[in-house]
Amino acid sequence: MIKTVATTPYGDQKPGTSGLRKKVPVFQQENYAQNFIQSIFDSLEDFQGKTLVIGGDGRYFNREVIQIAIKMAAANGFGRVLVGRGGILSTPAASNVIRKYQAFGGIVLSASHNPGGPTEDFGIKYNIGNGGPAPEKITEAIFARTKVIDSYKIAEAADVNLDIEGTHEIAGMQVTIIDPVSDYAALMEELFDFNAIRALLQNGFRIVFDAMSAVTGPYAKEILENRLGAPKGSVLNFMPLPDFGGHHPDPNLVHAKALYDQMMGDDAPDFGAASDGDGDRNLIIGRGIFVTPSDSLAMLAANAHLAPGYSKGLAGIARSMPTSGAADRVAEKLGIGIYETPTGWKFFGNLLDAGLATICGEESAGTGSNHVREKDGLWAVLLWLNILAVRQESVVEIARQHWMIYGRNYYSRHDYEEVDSAAANGLVTALRDKLASLPGTKIGDLTVQTADDFSYHDPVDHSVSSNQGIRILFEGGSRVVYRLSGTGTSGATLRVYIERFEPDAARHDIETQEALADLIQAAEEIADIRQRTGRQTPSVIT
Ligand code: G16
């Protein structure tokens, strides 16, 4: 039986950088999730009888929304839904399932690296048939629909048992519960030389992977321990928990500090890594060295040909604007294209589909390739391991040689979290207002060369995305970028990205904050951060 339920719109369902993210109690309001899901379906065309993929990162409220989404998909005319067992699908695995089974699209339930639990974060994101996040044209249509929606359709049926693989029927629609891991693990085996990695691990190379009680646990156990033979216990916190064990599943130096300390300590393993809530981010730490995400992108791109899946070379590299220019130097040396996009993985989709880029990456701990249309945490770990297995050198040796060849981009991001929204918007407006007057300004030894608000012209569909971040470029190539996060769920988060290029190998050993000290000071002076935000220091430095 299909029911049409009357509803009234909510005014705050605007998708951010990556879908709609709100606190759980917001999502628990009457019809809140239903309104958004119906608005997604109302913004799509020609999906009758087709397949929809549904899965999430296992966080609190995941199972409830999955049941709602299944019943609404049936009522709206989908022919089949594929759901990960236990409601689990990591974001890259969901992307793979959409592509492999030629689904019409997918609903991914996650708030990524944000905490989970009854008062923490939840999210809903729609992915299109290429497996990637919906482009702005669709997210804007969804938002427009949420503002006027007056009813939704749902099948009246019992809940589906999500924990047993098999096929059921709801209102004429097939519901198939699939193993969330096997398709993804098979794809990784195609891309990487598992024999070489297995041999590396058998020869005493020690790894530790922290799944942060989030979605990558089952994937990492199967791939790293079962298939590649890493000793049991190499994967930590491998049970996905609805509240991530009370932790913040963000693989950065603050929230994965225990891993960092272990990797910097005596008797550290050779390689440490972590992934986030939904499995698309990665943290890479070699013994005694943290590899910044921007450097990791550049190093992976420079060495990708050592893995079977990339042995023919790369078509191009894409990075988000705030990501450091380290990858640009690799692209230049390889003689391939480099693309600079706004923050948000959705902007890479067109470049990947058009075959312009093979590898993409972001400063926000995301790296991925054309194997799916999402960033992919375990993929980055496996590509690193494949490179390490072939080169037979340590992470620190590979990093040092890389800097020697290409120079080093010192890089840091300073986040001011949960700042008053009006104050944060005021800071950005004031910056925008003075952009034209900044060139030529001297701050200490630095001189502003150019200043603008980044606008992206998509080379494939020619769409334009404006106001994507304020860039201050100094003479000599150093840079400060300011933007407001599009993924936070309370107040505003100001991100300040600071970068200095250092070609001289004799100066590659400076502590990062020290190497950037004058730029950090300039960033403060230009934007008046302390006074406008009331914060003396950033809440997170990565
Ligand atoms: C999402 C996006 C990324 C973006 C990141 C941070 O990642 O997919 O492209 O870099 O948010 O965005 P912001 O700086 O606006 O907070 P995730 O891992 O949260 O899905």
Side-chain angles (χ1 to χ4, degrees), residues 90 92-93 96 179-195 197-199 201 207 209 215-232 234-235 238 279 371 376-383 385-386:
S90 78
N96 179 46
D179 175 2
V181 176
S182 55
D183 290 321
Y184 178 83
L187 176 63
M188 294 301 115
E189 287 215 45
E190 277 169 34
L191 295 174
F192 302 115
D193 185 347
F194 272 37
N195 287 332
I197 301 174
R198 209 174 287 121
L201 298 175
I207 64 169
F209 178 88
V215 80
T216 42
Y219 296 86
K221 269 259 165 207
E222 172 61 20
I223 295 172
L224 298 175
E225 294 187 3
N226 296 347
R227 299 197 186 194
L228 290 170
K232 297 267 172 274
S234 301
V235 179
F238 56 83
H371 67 292
D376 188 345
L378 264 172
W379 170 90
V381 170
L382 292 168
L383 181 50
L385 289 175
N386 198 147

Side-chain angles (χ1 to χ4, degrees), residues 15-26:
T17 308
S18 190
L20 182 69
R21 292 187 189 166
K22 300 279 176 197
K23 296 286 177 206
V24 167
V26 175

